Amino acid sequence: MTVKIFDTPEVQDFINTVAGLDQAGGNGRAKQIIHRLVGDLFKLIDDFDVTEEEYWAAVNLLNALGSQTQFGLLSPGLGFDHFLDMRHDAIDAEAQRTGGTPRTIEGPLYVAGAPEAEGFARMADETTEGETMWLTGQVRGVDGTPIAGAKVEIWHANDKGGYSFFDPSQSEYNLRRTIYTDSDGRYTARSVIPSGYGVPEGAPTDVVLKSLGRHGERPAHIHYFVSAPGHQHLTTQINLAGDPYTFDDFAFATREELVIPAERIDDPAEIAQRDLSGPFSQVVFDVELTQVSAPELQARHARPRAKEDEQDLASQLAGTAKV
């Protein structure tokens, strides 16, 4: 079809009206964003000759994504989360905040309020199956100085790819802990090796990805929030080396520096030293934080998170997190 109407005065005036540009009230920034968004979508419909059937199928898919709360799952799948990280990397570079452990996406599965521990925590409850993992590391500044009392929040899936809170078969806060580093800046957790997982078969996110010829698989990975007064908050995750999807993550979270091996340990002395009953896998992940003075850079950004309210975020921004 050769009919194109987007650039006509009637359509351009209509977009202004839709965005409320002819109205005195409302939010100016919201108006500009909606004007751009609606205009770009109108142009897309014009350029690709989108049919009514295609348009309403898309609306139905959006409704399904919302009803199944999958926008947070599709967002990384379409690269938005990684694009935001790319922007933050560029902002840091412009501000000459260099060095430190790379950031990567948070994902939608954090739950606030995990049990706290000093130096060491056992993350898995007694019923959790899987290969024992000894997860440890040191938090330090970019100059190499250990940071005592750094707050290390860790969460990951079980050996079936499920996360507590979202998976009702698991106990509350299973495989979720907050560990404050010891005097040498070290943290240690006893847990289980997580499994990778995929988006639910036939779910709206799966439908979108398959329409692009893509899969919805994630490699085995472990999420981190790491913070300390005077240092830039770090949101990151590590991928376990050797997973078939380590470098083919549908969520685009893999960074070379964040691929960590799980070393199999079967030495009896080391097993006994950790009070374990058999072989285990050790994962070592050291973290370097960049020094900053701005309070807003020392706390994670505000967004809806399970069991996290505005008071929790205000506490972070005020610098009242435990030192």
Side-chain angles (χ1 to χ4, degrees), residues 23-85:
Q23 302 295 320
N27 181 287
R29 180 172 171 82
K31 291 182 179 185
Q32 292 296 323
I33 291 174
I34 290 297
H35 183 272
R36 174 67 174 270
L37 177 64
V38 171
D40 284 353
L41 290 174
F42 281 7
K43 190 173 191 306
L44 181 151
I45 290 171
D46 223 22
D47 288 347
F48 287 89
D49 190 23
V50 174
T51 67
E52 290 190 27
E53 289 81 4
E54 289 173 326
Y55 173 78
W56 289 108
V59 170
N60 186 63
L61 182 60
L62 292 173
N63 285 336
L65 284 163
S67 67
Q68 298 182 37
T69 62
Q70 286 199 7
F71 278 110
L73 188 59
L74 182 59
S75 174
L78 291 182
F80 285 98
D81 296 35
H82 182 62
F83 178 70
L84 292 173
D85 280 348

Side-chain angles (χ1 to χ4, degrees), residues 197-280:
Y197 56 86
V199 301
E201 182 75 21
T205 299
D206 183 52
V207 171
V208 173
L209 293 174
K210 284 182 176 173
S211 74
L212 304 176
R214 294 178 49 206
H215 66 74
E217 298 295 327
R218 293 223 59 203
H221 59 279
I222 302 167
H223 294 270
Y224 281 80
F225 282 155
V226 186
S227 58
H231 294 81
Q232 186 168 9
H233 179 276
L234 175 67
T235 298
T236 195
Q237 59 182 275
I238 58 174
N239 287 354
L240 298 184
D243 189 289
Y245 292 101
T246 292
F247 293 99
D248 189 21
D249 179 2
F250 98 91
F252 304 105
T254 303
R255 302 186 73 156
E256 186 75 39
E257 306 94 321
L258 299 174
V259 177
I260 307 296
E263 180 187 4
R264 179 77 169 175
I265 305 293
D266 54 16
D267 178 66
E270 292 204 40
I271 293 171
Q273 182 182 354
R274 290 163 177 79
D275 196 25
L276 300 176
S277 59
F280 63 97

